[in-house]
Amino acid sequence: RYRLLVENAGDGIIIAQDSTVLFANRRATQMAGLEDPGEVTGRSMLEFIHPEDHALVLDRHVRRLRGEDVPSTYPLRMLRVDGTSFWTQLNAVKIEWKGRTATLNFIRDVSEQKRFEEQLAAAERLRSIGTLAGGIAHDFNNILMGIQGNVSLLLLQLDRASPLRARLEDIEHCVESGAELSARILGFAQ
C-alpha cells in the first residue's frame, strides 16, 4: 500500500545516507532523466545537484544528520543526466534507515513557477521603465511649454522686421520637435 503511494507520488522521493542515494522513487528517477530507479541508487546525491548548489546542500545535509536545526525546505537547482538544470523545492527530514541516520527528501519540480516569476519580474521592470519614461516625458513637456510661452510673448512684442525674430522662430521649431519627441516617449511609456 505504501509502495503504491510512494511510486505514484507527484514529487520525487529520495533517501540519502552519507551523501549516497539509497532509494529513489519513479518520479525522482524521471527528474534525473533516467528510466530505472536502480540507475539512481548507489550514486552520490551531488551528481544530481547543480555544482553551484553543492556546498549549500552538503552543508545542510551534514548538519541535519548531526541533529542541528537547519531549514528543512529550500530551493535548489538539480541536474538531469544530460546536464540540463532545473529548479526544485527540496523538503528534507532526518530519519533512521536500516539502523543509521539518513535523510528523507521530497523534491518538487518548480521550473514552471520559476519561469513565471522571472516573466513577472521582467514585466514589472518594463512597467517601471514605462512609468519613469512617462514621468520624464511630462516633465520635459512642462519645460518645453515654459519655453514656448516665453518665446510666444517675445514674438508678440517684437517688430516684424527685428533680426531676433528668426532666432525666436527657430526656438519655436525646436520646441515643436521636442514636443514630438515627448509624444513618442509617452507612446513608449504606454
Side-chain angles (χ1 to χ4, degrees):
R1 184 173 63 196
Y2 293 120
R3 178 163 296 281
L4 181 68
L5 291 172
V6 169
E7 286 304 324
N8 291 293
D11 291 345
I13 300 173
I14 290 176
I15 295 175
Q17 196 173 59
D18 301 325
S19 305
T20 302
V21 177
L22 300 181
F23 170 83
N25 74 343
R26 192 176 332 197
R27 181 66 182 125
T29 304
Q30 291 169 346
M31 285 178 171
L34 297 167
E35 298 283 326
D36 180 11
E39 295 177 278
V40 178
T41 57
R43 294 168 80 165
S44 169
M45 65 182 190
L46 295 177
E47 289 182 47
F48 303 104
I49 296 170
H50 193 282
E52 291 177 19
D53 293 340
H54 279 186
L56 170 72
V57 172
L58 199 52
D59 174 64
R60 289 189 178 176
H61 178 73
V62 169
R63 290 173 57 205
R64 182 172 290 106
L65 291 177
R66 285 193 301 227
E68 294 180 30
D69 187 26
V70 293
S72 61
T73 303
Y74 57 95
L76 70 114
R77 289 165 293 181
M78 296 194 74
L79 292 175
R80 293 182 182 88
V81 290
D82 66 5
T84 58
S85 66
F86 60 103
W87 279 99
T88 64
Q89 183 78 24
L90 176 69
N91 183 1
V93 293
K94 180 179 164 183
I95 63 167
E96 287 294 317
W97 184 261
K98 296 183 180 179
R100 294 184 50 224
T101 306
T103 58
L104 174 60
N105 305 275
F106 300 92
I107 305 161
R108 176 165 292 165
D109 185 341
V110 293
S111 299
E112 286 300 314
Q113 179 183 340
K114 271 288 197 197
R115 255 190 299 284
F116 177 72
E117 288 170 359
E118 289 168 2
Q119 288 173 347
L120 186 60
E124 284 293 318
R125 284 192 299 275
L126 279 176
R127 191 170 65 105
S128 296
I129 290 170
T131 300
L132 177 65
I136 290 170
H138 279 294
D139 290 347
F140 185 58
N141 221 19
N142 290 340
I143 292 168
L144 290 176
M145 291 308 105
I147 294 169
Q148 177 63 52
N150 284 311
V151 167
S152 294
L153 289 172
L154 287 171
L155 283 172
L156 286 173
Q157 295 173 358
L158 274 181
D159 186 59
R160 289 233 179 254
S162 172
L164 294 176
R165 189 168 200 78
R167 289 192 178 183
L168 289 172
E169 288 171 350
D170 284 344
I171 292 172
E172 263 189 328
H173 291 302
C174 289
V175 167
E176 289 170 8
S177 296
E180 290 173 12
L181 174 63
S182 181
R184 287 200 306 265
I185 293 172
L186 278 173
F188 168 78
Q190 292 171 352

